Amino acid sequence: MTSAYERVIAARSKDRMTGQDYINGLFTDFIELHGDKRFADDPAIIGGLAYLGNTPMTVLATEKGRDTKSRIKRNFGTPNPEGYRKSLRLMKQAEKFRRPVICIIDTAGAFCGIGAEERGQGQAIAENLSEMMTLKTPILSILIGEGGSGGALALAIADEVWMLENAVYSVISPEGCANILWRDAERAPEAAKYLKLTAKDAMSLGVVERIIKENGKDPSELQTKLAGEISKWYETISHLSPDELIAARYERFRRIG
């Protein structure tokens, strides 16, 4: 049986597909849009317009990068406030044109640097949480690797949340938890067990609706399967009115816990 910490290691693997890989593999005609219209563009979040089959969608993805150069450029997938503000700008645009929003999440958490705090990191995340709860268009969030704290939750207030089999979703990293509880990061495997951060744990707690199996699948096979599942999801939810959509989303989060 795979342990919780082994899932964490798998979620962080350098060989794992990144957000950009999923955009390239799932969608066609992707057009990236930049900037939050307030401060700057944040390369840690990729956002834009694309097609899934014949359906236009707004796509958002946290991106860690592949090698040292790209990881530095992407800030190792830890967004600044402008990344979340860019995301919200594109989600509001999607609402205007009734496009579904697909969020692909793989982040250890929001960036905690001084500049990020000075520019309102907490407020940017809070605004996303509030606005996504009442967004009048369908939202699907998919955790493909790490789902760390508010940095992940800021893109996960959705009608449904899915996790890949080896993804994790937690309020804190196992190492951070072990440091706080025991002053010993070496106890991270023990902390991982108690954090209930695996896809199976999240499913049992009602935090996610679906686990996407990935063992034994090559990237193209997994992407094809996921594209089909997203299409089916949209078919089932696209008939709901904006009021019905918001009411169902609200009830979803009221049930958790």
Side-chain angles (χ1 to χ4, degrees):
M1 177 182 258
T2 305
S3 72
Y5 197 63
E6 286 172 332
R7 298 286 188 194
V8 173
I9 293 170
R12 295 170 176 171
S13 171
K14 63 181 179 62
D15 298 321
R16 200 167 179 82
M17 287 191 292
T18 69
Q20 183 71 73
D21 293 329
Y22 280 94
I23 290 175
N24 295 341
L26 296 175
F27 304 97
T28 60
D29 302 307
F30 178 69
I31 300 173
E32 186 174 0
L33 302 177
H34 297 274
D36 66 345
K37 305 299 184 185
R38 296 191 196 182
F39 180 73
D41 185 49
D42 184 358
I45 295 182
I46 301 170
L49 313 177
Y51 278 92
L52 183 65
N54 295 319
T55 305
M57 297 187 171
T58 291
V59 183
L60 300 164
T62 48
E63 171 62 26
K64 289 182 173 180
R66 271 285 180 203
D67 52 27
T68 301
K69 183 177 180 180
S70 63
R71 288 185 178 190
I72 291 171
K73 175 186 175 182
R74 302 289 183 182
N75 204 31
F76 297 86
T78 57
N80 278 281
E82 46 272 21
Y84 295 114
R85 292 181 179 127
K86 173 173 68 173
S87 300
L88 183 56
R89 177 176 76 82
L90 296 182
M91 285 188 274
K92 298 298 284 186
Q93 182 191 80
E95 179 183 57
K96 178 179 179 180
F97 293 102
R98 189 62 179 168
R99 287 191 299 265
V101 177
I102 309 298
C103 299
I104 300 169
I105 301 166
D106 183 15
T107 180
F111 187 56
C112 56
I114 293 174
E117 295 300 326
E118 288 175 341
R119 297 193 300 277
Q121 183 72 285
Q123 182 183 22
I125 292 172
E127 286 177 351
N128 273 31
L129 303 182
S130 175
E131 293 291 335
M132 290 179 78
M133 188 62 76
T134 58
L135 199 73
K136 296 177 181 178
T137 198
I139 312 170
L140 173 65
S141 296
I142 306 170
L143 290 132
I144 62 168
E146 287 187 278
S149 193
L153 190 62
L155 295 178
I157 304 298
D159 302 297
E160 288 194 13
V161 178
W162 300 353
M163 288 180 72
L164 266 62
E165 186 176 26
N166 288 317
V168 294
Y169 197 16
S170 177
V171 68
I172 192 172
S173 70
E175 294 82 4
C177 179
N179 262 323
I180 291 170
L181 291 181
W182 304 300
R183 308 279 181 169
D184 184 3
E186 295 297 320
R187 295 179 69 176
E190 184 180 355
K193 179 176 67 174
Y194 293 123
L195 283 168
K196 302 294 184 184
L197 46 64
T198 68
K200 185 177 179 181
D201 291 327
M203 176 71 87
S204 69
L205 294 169
V207 174
V208 302
E209 278 72 28
R210 186 173 301 182
I211 298 173
I212 306 297
K213 297 288 185 182
E214 53 182 306
N215 286 349
K217 292 187 177 294
D218 64 38
S220 60
E221 187 179 353
L222 177 58
Q223 289 169 341
T224 299
K225 173 183 171 62
L226 195 51
E229 294 298 323
I230 294 171
S231 294
K232 290 177 186 176
W233 163 81
Y234 184 60
E235 286 177 12
T236 64
I237 203 170
S238 59
H239 70 281
L240 296 179
S241 70
D243 287 343
E244 290 172 327
L245 200 64
I246 292 169
R249 191 181 304 146
Y250 178 80
E251 286 304 316
R252 176 192 185 276
F253 283 92
R254 289 288 292 175
R255 288 194 301 269
I256 295 175

